[in-house]
Amino acid sequence: MSRRLVLAAAQLGPIQKSEGRDVAVGRMVRLLETAHRRGAEVVVFPELALTTFFPRWYHEDLAEADHWYETALPSNATAPLFEAARKFNIGFHLGYAERTPEGRRFNTAVYVHPSGEVVLKYRKVHLPGHAEYDPTRTVQHLEKRYFEVGDLGFPVVRAPVGEAQVNIGMMICNDRRWPEAWRVLGLQQVELVMLGYNTPSLNMENRGFEAHHLRVFHSHLSIQAGCYQNACFAAGVAKAGDEDGHELFGHSIIVNPQGEIMAQATSWGDELIVADCDLGMCELGRRTIFNFAAHRRVEAYGRITGQTGSAAPAEWVPKG
Ligand code: CDT
């Protein structure tokens, strides 16, 4: 059984508020064609890949936001993507806003087999931003308004990807900054993490402490550390560029289990990057420095699941 995988990250340039799904899907189909020409077996698209990053826009009445969500996959609008995947025999990861038949709303990602079958679904756990309109902000980030916290945990499944059987898992955007999320995947022997993001180039809450260039650094730092500490590959894929005057950074990357960047996007537009991954590389970390069974000390980690916010430490008082 092959342990090699040709992995592609399909960064998307901006999608304007006025642009329909047909525009986004057309661009994604072209990226799938490019991926096919370059020999890719799996393509990772970004978070909320079918529309603009709509949580920056406030709707008082949630029902007014319904048009941003998918109620079925495939739909008429997304069918061309599924058809292209089948034609080119490529699996794909897609981030989208999900509205369930019961009216629940999630920031969701799926991995779709070339046959069109959904292999794995994940619903974003770490939702940044706020739930109410914030007049102090020049740009809103209303993920807590538009989505519920994901209710599927961090699932991993072993499934065919190209010629290989691969342990696949997912994260969505802000999740990548949380080591707990990586470790839950690592504990399931994840080999490939697919993750999409929409990250503003400017931190609205920056009070002079996060220099502009550190935005990308923090994204890469999180993904590279997550891969190294959990002995896995990841594709971190942006929706990038200027959406209606609001800039999202690009710098999509493919990272190996040593934490090294194997490929990086150089534009902030539609761009495909490809890496040849030897899944056998996941073995080294897993058998040595990050051999969890041999070295983890759960008895010392109680706070990780027992406590949410941080607590101030006891104060040292001199005896004398
Ligand atoms: N989409 C997303 O999760 N973006 C966040 C930006 C947070 S700023 C409120 C991120 O962590 O990249």
Side-chain angles (χ1 to χ4, degrees):
M1 180 59 77
S2 169
R3 292 268 66 200
R4 296 199 83 86
L5 176 66
V6 186
L7 170 63
Q11 179 175 285
L12 287 177
I15 302 173
Q16 306 308 328
K17 196 180 177 192
S18 61
E19 288 179 311
R21 286 165 180 70
D22 55 327
V23 175
V25 169
R27 286 163 48 186
M28 285 192 265
V29 167
R30 283 194 287 282
L31 284 160
L32 279 177
E33 278 164 8
T34 308
H36 173 64
R37 278 201 306 278
R38 293 176 62 184
E41 297 168 299
V42 54
V43 172
V44 180
F45 291 111
E47 173 192 36
L48 300 177
L50 298 167
T51 65
T52 197
F53 186 70
F54 69 86
R56 72 167 71 88
W57 303 108
Y58 177 72
H59 293 285
E60 187 171 344
D61 178 0
L62 266 189
E64 284 171 14
D66 278 353
H67 64 286
W68 297 119
Y69 296 80
E70 310 306 309
T71 52
L73 269 188
S75 58
N76 286 343
T78 53
L81 198 54
F82 286 70
E83 282 155 22
R86 183 190 289 271
K87 175 171 158 197
F88 298 129
N89 195 29
I90 294 180
F92 68 95
H93 162 285
L94 177 72
Y96 64 102
E98 175 190 13
R99 191 157 62 82
T100 70
E102 301 74 36
R104 300 181 69 191
R105 297 156 195 270
F106 297 99
N107 187 340
T108 297
V110 285
Y111 173 66
V112 182
H113 185 268
S115 66
E117 201 172 322
V118 171
V119 174
L120 186 64
K121 177 185 270 196
Y122 167 68
R123 291 171 170 158
K124 187 174 182 177
V125 167
H126 297 101
L127 298 173
H130 45 107
E132 298 304 327
Y133 184 82
D134 181 349
T136 66
R137 297 177 64 109
T138 52
V139 188
Q140 304 297 307
H141 195 112
L142 291 155
E143 285 196 60
K144 281 185 158 62
R145 183 176 193 80
Y146 292 128
F147 304 117
E148 286 180 46
V149 172
D151 60 352
L152 302 175
F154 290 97
V156 173
V157 69
R158 188 164 182 82
V161 185
E163 302 290 305
Q165 286 289 117
V166 187
N167 300 348
I168 54 175
M170 298 174 195
M171 284 186 191
I172 302 180
C173 195
N174 190 262
D175 290 324
R176 72 195 187 285
R177 306 184 193 274
W178 298 91
E180 298 90 333
W182 287 96
R183 185 47 48 89
V184 173
L185 292 176
L187 284 166
Q188 298 169 84
Q189 300 183 0
V190 72
E191 293 172 319
L192 171 60
V193 176
M194 307 186 203
L195 90 93
Y197 60 88
N198 284 256
T199 301
S201 295
L202 279 179
N203 179 351
M204 282 299 302
E205 273 138 347
N206 175 17
R207 292 179 182 83
F209 295 114
E210 190 184 30
H212 202 156
H213 70 281
L214 294 180
R215 294 290 278 168
V216 172
F217 170 69
H218 291 152
S219 177
H220 286 186
L221 180 69
S222 303
I223 298 171
Q224 291 178 255
C227 285
Y228 169 60
Q229 292 167 347
N230 296 282
C232 61
F233 289 86
V237 190
K239 179 143 66 58
D242 186 323
E243 290 192 337
D244 296 290
H246 306 290
E247 191 182 274
L248 302 167
F249 67 71
H251 299 80
S252 302
I253 48 175
I254 297 175
V255 177
N256 73 18
Q258 291 299 315
E260 275 184 310
I261 295 176
M262 304 172 78
Q264 178 171 326
T266 54
S267 74
W268 285 13
D270 292 1
E271 181 177 345
L272 194 88
I273 56 172
V274 180
D276 203 334
C277 303
D278 178 352
L279 296 161
M281 272 188 85
C282 301
E283 290 296 315
L284 178 66
R286 201 170 290 151
R287 270 206 256 103
T288 58
I289 193 150
F290 296 115
N291 179 337
F292 294 158
H295 306 307
R296 289 184 81 239
R297 288 288 163 238
V298 290
E299 67 277 16
Y301 307 153
R303 281 183 192 270
I304 297 285
T305 54
Q307 183 179 326
T308 306
S310 66
E315 217 156 303
W316 180 77
V317 182
K319 286 198 185 90

